[in-house]
Every structure is written in structure tokens, then in C-alpha cells.
Amino acid sequence: MRLALCLLCIVPLTLMASRAFGTDFTRAEVESVLATAPAAQTPSFAGRSLAGLDLHELDFTAVDLSGADLSDADLRGAKLVAAKLVGAKLLRARLNLAWIMRADFSHADLSGAILETLIVSAGMETLPNETARFVGANLSGAKVTARFSLDDMQGADLSHLRASADMRNQSMGLIRTDFSRANLADANFEDAALGHVNFEFAKLQRANFSGADLSNADLAGADLTDANLTGAKTTGAKFTSASLTGVRGLSPR
């Protein structure tokens, strides 16, 4: 019943997105740009609208693995299911309501991007075969309110991330960013805003939280072995059953 209700919510939102957001391309035109770009030239959609387009399984990776240029692009409501965006330039791109199941953003530059209300699963919880990849991706300064549960984000740059829950708009329950059970080993959260963020059972070995705001964050069961929390704000944060071996900067609890 919960799955049915979730799908009923998702489909109208996506239909509204595709109708409400203008777009500069059709899928066929996007495929043509990717296929005909000269070997020495990066395919570019910078500043253009691909909002609401079905781009599932498209490969935006250039021959040299630098990735297409989608800087400042409008990808709201776009279906990026199983799309390959390895090394893509997505600086300041808008991905609100984008479908990202099985998408690969490894080593992509998403600095300053907006990733809110992402569609990451067909149900209430993400399944292992629906996860996205952000290995080594740059999300520095990105604005995020989304689920990344189970995602592989090893070595990602999440410094200055803006992910704290907006406590002024919580009439339907706590809406927060979810990194539960994600692989965030060696990730960089320096100076990130992470208030009320969910890190339950996440892999956070050697993660850098120096200067981050972890107020009221949930790190229960997380593996924080050798993590750096120097200067981090941890008021109200939960560390129940977390592995804290070798953690630096955490005040005695």
C-alpha cells in the first residue's frame, strides 16, 4: 500500500515537471549532440534546459572521460535512470525532481548544484539495485535535500554542503537528507551544514567533518573509524552504537 501511494505521488510530480519546465532539446537532439561532437571538443549543454526529458541510459561521458558540460543546465524532472555522467561538468546545475536510479555521477563536478527532492527509488526505501554512484564526485557547496541511502560516495568532496533540514517547513514530518548505509569512506564534509541529517549505519571511515555542523544529526551505528571531527558542532547528535575508534576532535560523551 505504501509503495502504491509513493508511486501515485511520484508520477504526477514528474508529469507536472515535464510540462511546466520548458526545454531546449528533444531526446533525439541530445543524442545527436553527444554522437557528433568532435573528438577534441566536449559536448556542451551549458546553460540549456533539458528539464523533464527522458534521458535514461544516455552516456554523457566524453572519449577522454572528461564528461559533457552541463554547467548551469536545467535538469529538473529529467529522467537520468542508468545514465552515465562520469566526469560530467554539472556546476550549479538544477536537478530538482530528477530521477537518478542507477545513474553514475562518479568524478562529476556538481559543485554549487541543487539536488532537492530527487527520485531515487520506486518505493519508500532505496533498494540495492536502485542506488546511484557518486564516487569521487565534487558536491562542494551543493544544496541538497534528498535520499542517498546505500549510494557509493566514497571519496566524494562534500565540503560546504548545504544539507541541514529546514526546520521552518516540517508540517508533514521531518524532511531531511538521508545518507543512511551509504559508503562515505574518505569523504570530505569540511564546514558542511548537516543539521538533522541521517547517517545511520553509514560507512564514514576517515571522513573529514572538521568545522561541520552536525547538530542533531543521527550517526547511530555508523562506522567513524579514524574520522576527523575537529571543530565540528555535535550538539544533540546521536552516536549510539557508532564505531568511534581513532576519531579525532570528538568531545567525550
Side-chain angles (χ1 to χ4, degrees), residues 50-55 75-80 96-100:
L50 284 71
L53 285 184
D54 184 350
L55 304 171
L75 289 157
R76 291 176 293 171
K79 288 188 178 180
L80 297 168
N96 300 30
L97 291 171
W99 297 57
I100 67 165

Side-chain angles (χ1 to χ4, degrees), residues 88-107:
K89 299 175 182 64
L90 288 148
L91 293 78
R92 300 173 300 280
R94 289 173 288 170
L95 290 102
N96 300 30
L97 291 171
W99 297 57
I100 67 165
M101 291 87 90
R102 303 191 306 281
D104 193 347
F105 293 92
S106 295
H107 306 290

Side-chain angles (χ1 to χ4, degrees), residues 123-186:
M124 297 297 290
E125 295 186 5
T126 304
L127 300 176
N129 63 353
E130 294 176 316
T131 59
R133 284 173 56 83
F134 291 87
V135 175
N138 179 7
L139 288 100
S140 178
K143 183 173 176 55
V144 171
T145 307
R147 279 191 289 154
F148 298 98
S149 181
L150 291 173
D151 286 358
D152 190 350
M153 308 182 81
Q154 186 171 3
D157 183 356
L158 298 135
S159 59
H160 303 281
L161 192 74
R162 295 173 290 161
S164 290
D166 184 356
M167 303 310 293
R168 299 168 299 177
N169 184 27
Q170 298 291 342
S171 59
M172 297 180 67
L174 184 58
I175 300 171
R176 59 176 175 170
T177 296
D178 183 2
F179 289 109
S180 61
R181 298 177 291 164
N183 182 2
L184 289 155
D186 300 298

Side-chain angles (χ1 to χ4, degrees), residues 24-25 42-50 60 66-75 85 87-95 105 108-114 138:
D24 295 331
F25 297 91
T42 301
S44 180
F45 303 93
R48 307 300 293 274
S49 175
L50 284 71
F60 289 86
S66 62
D69 188 354
L70 291 146
S71 301
D72 299 295
D74 186 353
L75 289 157
L85 292 130
K89 299 175 182 64
L90 288 148
L91 293 78
R92 300 173 300 280
R94 289 173 288 170
L95 290 102
F105 293 92
D109 188 347
L110 289 141
S111 55
I114 301 175
N138 179 7

Side-chain angles (χ1 to χ4, degrees), residues 27 58 66 77 81 117 123 129 137 155 187 200 211 232-233 235 244 252:
R27 177 187 170 99
L58 283 191
S66 62
V81 178
T117 324
N129 63 353
E200 288 183 292
K233 297 178 183 178
T235 304
L244 302 174

